[in-house]
């Protein structure tokens, strides 16, 4: 770090903040990326991420795609509802794309982004790991961040602050409040081996306890098992044999018995979204703007589009860098993101509520809905393209 003033300070160098920093590399803006954790080589996170084909295109443009060491293509998605009829299969042909998406690991993505950022000539991007932002302030013309770095407090000014911290620091922004819905659920994740080998098929099965997803992970599956928080704790504590039996009972026999499991971890789930994604000299992106239930694998995909669209808004100002962070720029960006962001939130929240309702009539209606999706190609195309590319379809 050589300056005490930047055009843009990004707070939070998770995958979304990091994607923004990489995307800003080709602009005239000076950028500082602050990340509280150590550099990604030192940080593990076991969660699997299903990336849509749309995200693949963005990551390719950012130079990150070819760096990913593990990526399993998703060639079809099988969706069903436990204890009711009705199912559907989505294929690349339905959405008119070469592949529906890929399953990668959060950690591999994070590390690949870091490698790409580190490789770029650093004339306009500074990156500091181990820097924890403690306070934010804004005025008409400036945003200011205070952060702890190597035992001292540092103060930096910027035309625009970007909050990509997952939403912890919004307490310092009086204009923004979060609306939250605690689903009282956790996602239990683990790598699973099934008796029947299948490569490329993703399974999403709705149950009254919450959805269960088995995502292709080479020849195995990455499990995302949603359950009420107290049940999730028990599931994590089961011995392996009991756990695999329980999973088989819950998921059904489509893949035969489950024969091996990796380590299990649990993530609490909630819907959380900001009343506004912009404030004076400030933008919220990724989980800081909206944290979704992982049911449809939309969270990171949406956050990546936030980052990409924000970088485009900045590059469109190449001769007018002093306009970065002005209310005109922020309003335009916020308007552009509205439909995509609300679409993702409403879609995932609706899936959770509809499919976990025990009412017999509603259960049948959901089954019918899946069958209708299966039979009506234009509907299937509409839904699948929105899942892949966001509201733009
Ligand atoms: C079980 C599970 C499965 C999921 N599966 C999918 C999926 O299949 N597909 C999908 O698209 N999404 C999925 N998601 C969602 C996805 O993980 C998130 O949307 C994504 O990680 C958000 O990235 P982010 O960079 O916005 O936030 P985060 O990943 O939370 O990163 C925030 C970063 O900010 C840093 N930070 C925080 N506070 C400070 C501070 N004060 N100062 C400096 N730095 C700070 C943190 O250290 C962190 O690195 C899943 C989520 C879960 C829980």
């Amino acid at each position: 770090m050589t300056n005490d003033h930047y055009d843009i300070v990004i707070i939070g160098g998770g995958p979304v903040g990091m994607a923004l920093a990489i995307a800003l590399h080709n602009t005239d803006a000076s950028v500082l990326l602050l990340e509280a954790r150590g550099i990604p080589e030192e940080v593990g996170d076991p969660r699997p991420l299903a990336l849509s084909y749309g995200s693949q295109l963005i990551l390719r443009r950012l130079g990150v795609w070819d760096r990913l060491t593990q990526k399993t293509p998703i060639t079809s998605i099988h969706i069903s509802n436990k204890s009711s009829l009705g199912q559907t299969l989505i294929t690349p042909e339905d959405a008119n794309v070469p592949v529906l998406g890929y399953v990668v690991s959060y950690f591999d993505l994070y590390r690949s982004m870091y490698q790409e950022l580190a490789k770029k000539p650093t004339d306009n991007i500074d990156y500091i790991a181990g820097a924890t932002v403690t306070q934010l302030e804004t005025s008409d013309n400036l945003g200011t961040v205070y952060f702890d770095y190597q035992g001292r407090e540092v103060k930096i000014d910027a035309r625009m602050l970007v909050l990509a911290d997952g939403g912890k620091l919004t307490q310092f922004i009086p204009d923004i409040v979060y609306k939250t819905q605690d689903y009282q659920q956790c996602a239990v994740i683990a790598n699973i081996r099934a008796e029947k080998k299948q490569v490329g098929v993703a399974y999403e099965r709705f149950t009254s306890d919450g959805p269960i997803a088995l995502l292709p992970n080479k020849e195995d599956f990455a499990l995302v098992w949603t359950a009420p928080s107290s049940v999730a704790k028990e599931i994590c504590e089961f011995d392996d044999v009991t756990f695999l039996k329980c999973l088989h009972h819950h998921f059904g026999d489509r893949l035969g018995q489950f024969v091996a499991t990796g380590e299990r971890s649990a993530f609490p789930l909630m819907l959380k979204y900001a009343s506004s994604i912009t404030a004076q000299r400030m933008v919220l992106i990724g989980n800081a703007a909206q944290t979704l239930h992982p049911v449809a694998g939309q969270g990171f995909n949406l956050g990546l589009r936030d980052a990409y669209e924000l970088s485009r808004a900045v590059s469109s100002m190449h001769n007018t860098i002093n306009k970065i962070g002005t209310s005109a720029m922020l309003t335009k960006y916020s308007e552009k993101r509205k439909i995509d962001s609300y679409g993702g939130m409403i879609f995932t929240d609706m899936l959770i509520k509809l499919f976990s309702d025990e009412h017999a009539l509603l259960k049948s209606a959901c089954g019918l809905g899946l069958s209708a999706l299966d039979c009506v190609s234009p509907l299937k195309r509409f839904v699948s393209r929105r899942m892949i590319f966001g509201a733009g379809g």
Side-chain angles (χ1 to χ4, degrees), residues 185 205-212 225-228 250 352 356:
Q185 289 180 335
R205 187 151 172 81
F206 291 96
T207 80
S208 47
D209 278 350
I212 182 164
W225 181 352
T226 313
H250 200 61
I352 293 302
S356 55

Side-chain angles (χ1 to χ4, degrees), residues 4 7 12 38 41 100 115 130 156-157 228 267 274 290 310 328 349:
D4 57 10
D7 293 318
E41 314 292 337
L100 291 169
Q115 284 175 347
I156 301 279
D157 292 325
F267 291 78
Q290 66 273 311
L310 186 57
D349 191 45

